[in-house]
Amino acid sequence: KIMAKEDIAIESIYNINKYLKKENLLPVYFLFGEDEFTISNAVSLIKKTLSEFILSDFDMEDIELQKSSDINQIVDLAYSFPFSGGKKLITLKNFELLNDKKNFIEYIQNPSEFTFLVITQKGKKIDMREKLNKVLIEKKYLFEARDLNRNELTSWTVSRAAKLNLKINRQNAESLIDFVGEDKSLLEMNLTKFSSFLSENQEITIELIENLASFTKEYNVFNLLDAIIVRDKAKALEIAYSLLDKGDERTISNIVGLLIRFISTVVKIIDISTQKLPFMEAAKIAGVSPYFYKNCEKAVYLRNEEKMRNAIKALLEADISIKSTPLDNKSILSILISKIVQ
């Protein structure tokens, strides 16, 4: 019986530290998953930690793999003796591109005693039917970097601010995520900017977030939401197409996911507004940040029952189209946005 990935214990990349102690060092660190920011940071941490065992720069190799890369050459390199009397450190990037991986299984089963091998692979899933992946799990060399859910990302933001000697409460952390987006590198960039602006142990407030947080891309999903809220169809389509051109295969799902959250929040606002609650309390009941709640409140045109019903239907159709129709992503978004702002 082939076990599903969910039934198999794969170590989280957040536990990588315990495998970087002298008594627990591994010959192979295989890092995979959607969260490229965390994978990149983990690779840097591994290199920094293991550098004390590398006595010559000639014993450090960074290799960008291609489909045509020869795994036998990599195996030979890993088995070859170091230039110095220490260890070797080889980093293999984009392992998912490699076509022929069969001969690599033998190396994983019997790795070199004087080589540290760090491998990165992009992508959400690994095929548990492949023998290589079974061996990696058996040897405990496999580490997963999955995207964090909203609650986990909020906790990560609070923790990251604390490491920079700053304070941010969960509500304001959610606002920062809404304002900047869920990309960890953008969150990190803005937190670093706050740390250079604020004194130690100062608090990051919503006012500071609105004044200082900025975007590194020309557009992001929240610019798209702003255009939809004011029913600027032309601007919304311009932003949507730009996001698709600059993004990856997950961009369309991320956009639709945000719009689902937007519409569901407007539905909650319709109900909450009858209770005459204070703004902050209303946002808390809706389960969103004050920043997101304030934006959704502006979508007054969607408080019409027929328009709301059409928007919900359009989101359902878009979700189905992404999974089961030959329509291209730009056409799907064009139809969706037109129906929401009509």
Side-chain angles (χ1 to χ4, degrees):
K1 180 183 177 182
I2 296 174
M3 297 178 70
K5 173 172 145 341
E6 289 76 17
D7 298 327
I8 297 172
I10 298 176
E11 191 75 76
S12 168
I13 199 169
Y14 289 102
N15 296 330
I16 200 83
N17 268 313
K18 69 181 181 182
Y19 298 97
L20 293 175
K21 297 176 182 177
K22 286 189 177 180
E23 64 273 17
N24 290 330
L25 292 177
L26 302 174
V28 178
Y29 296 85
F30 194 109
L31 317 176
F32 84 98
E34 308 165 278
D35 191 345
E36 295 178 31
F37 175 85
T38 300
I39 289 176
S40 178
N41 278 0
V43 170
S44 297
L45 176 63
I46 293 171
K47 284 184 172 183
K48 181 179 179 181
T49 305
L50 299 182
S51 62
E52 67 173 286
F53 301 99
I54 316 301
L55 304 182
S56 168
D57 289 342
F58 292 108
D59 290 325
M60 295 187 71
E61 294 267 359
D62 288 314
I63 301 173
E64 294 269 358
L65 295 173
Q66 307 292 333
K67 287 183 179 180
S68 58
S69 296
D70 187 348
I71 195 65
N72 294 313
Q73 290 180 358
I74 295 168
V75 170
D76 288 344
L77 179 63
Y79 277 132
S80 63
F81 287 102
F83 283 94
S84 63
K87 299 262 191 178
K88 295 178 66 171
L89 176 59
I90 302 173
T91 303
L92 304 179
K93 297 180 180 179
N94 303 324
F95 194 77
E96 73 282 356
L97 297 179
L98 202 61
N99 276 332
D100 183 13
K101 303 175 184 176
K102 291 180 183 177
N103 293 342
F104 198 58
I105 297 171
E106 290 184 19
Y107 181 84
I108 297 299
Q109 290 173 323
N110 185 31
S112 168
E113 62 182 19
F114 44 73
T115 298
F116 295 114
L117 193 58
V118 183
I119 306 165
T120 66
Q121 175 172 299
K122 299 174 187 174
K124 184 175 182 179
K125 298 178 181 178
I126 58 171
D127 188 348
M128 294 313 305
R129 295 169 296 181
E130 289 187 6
K131 185 177 179 181
L132 172 60
N133 294 327
K134 292 179 181 178
V135 175
L136 284 167
I137 290 175
E138 180 187 328
K139 292 282 191 177
K140 301 188 185 302
Y141 297 159
L142 195 63
F143 298 86
E144 181 176 17
R146 64 174 177 81
D147 278 341
L148 302 181
N149 62 37
R150 180 77 178 193
N151 187 52
E152 291 169 330
L153 188 58
T154 301
S155 298
W156 179 89
T157 304
V158 172
S159 174
R160 206 68 176 176
K163 287 181 179 179
L164 293 169
N165 296 315
L166 297 174
K167 296 177 182 177
I168 185 170
N169 61 38
R170 289 189 67 84
Q171 197 169 47
N172 286 338
E174 287 182 9
S175 293
L176 180 61
I177 294 167
D178 280 335
F179 200 88
V180 173
E182 298 186 357
D183 186 322
K184 277 185 179 177
S185 60
L186 286 178
L187 287 167
E188 174 88 356
M189 180 195 73
N190 280 277
L191 287 172
T192 302
K193 183 166 63 178
F194 287 132
S195 71
S196 63
F197 177 81
L198 298 173
S199 302
E200 195 169 299
N201 290 321
Q202 269 196 279
E203 186 163 359
I204 300 173
T205 64
I206 186 62
E207 291 78 20
L208 284 172
I209 291 169
E210 291 178 342
N211 288 333
L212 290 180
S214 62
F215 307 108
T216 58
K217 293 183 179 179
E218 183 180 356
Y219 292 124
N220 62 53
V221 287
F222 295 96
N223 299 138
L224 172 62
L225 189 59
D226 289 339
I228 289 174
I229 286 171
V230 297
R231 303 176 77 178
D232 188 339
K233 178 181 172 182
K235 189 67 176 178
L237 290 176
E238 177 189 339
I239 295 170
Y241 292 167
S242 175
L243 291 171
L244 289 176
D245 289 338
K246 294 180 180 179
D248 56 27
E249 68 277 1
R250 293 177 292 166
T251 302
I252 180 74
S253 297
N254 289 342
I255 292 173
V256 172
L258 175 74
L259 293 178
I260 289 173
R261 186 160 165 253
F262 161 57
I263 295 297
S264 64
T265 301
V266 174
V267 171
K268 292 175 184 176
I269 287 173
I270 293 171
D271 179 55
I272 293 172
S273 62
T274 63
Q275 302 177 44
K276 308 295 183 184
L277 296 172
F279 171 71
M280 297 297 283
E281 187 178 343
K284 189 174 182 180
I285 291 173
V288 296
S289 74
Y291 173 81
F292 194 80
Y293 189 93
K294 185 165 60 175
N295 264 5
C296 292
E297 268 194 323
K298 298 174 185 174
V300 179
Y301 73 94
L302 280 172
R303 299 190 191 187
N304 174 283
E305 185 177 341
E306 183 181 355
K307 285 184 171 60
M308 177 58 74
R309 187 167 55 246
N310 288 338
I312 293 171
K313 182 181 177 183
L315 283 166
L316 178 61
E317 290 171 350
D319 190 49
I320 293 171
S321 295
I322 292 169
K323 299 170 183 174
S324 60
T325 74
L327 275 177
D328 65 276
N329 290 341
K330 287 186 177 179
S331 296
I332 292 172
L333 275 186
S334 179
I335 294 170
L336 173 59
I337 291 170
S338 295
K339 288 184 177 181
I340 290 178
V341 304
Q342 67 182 352

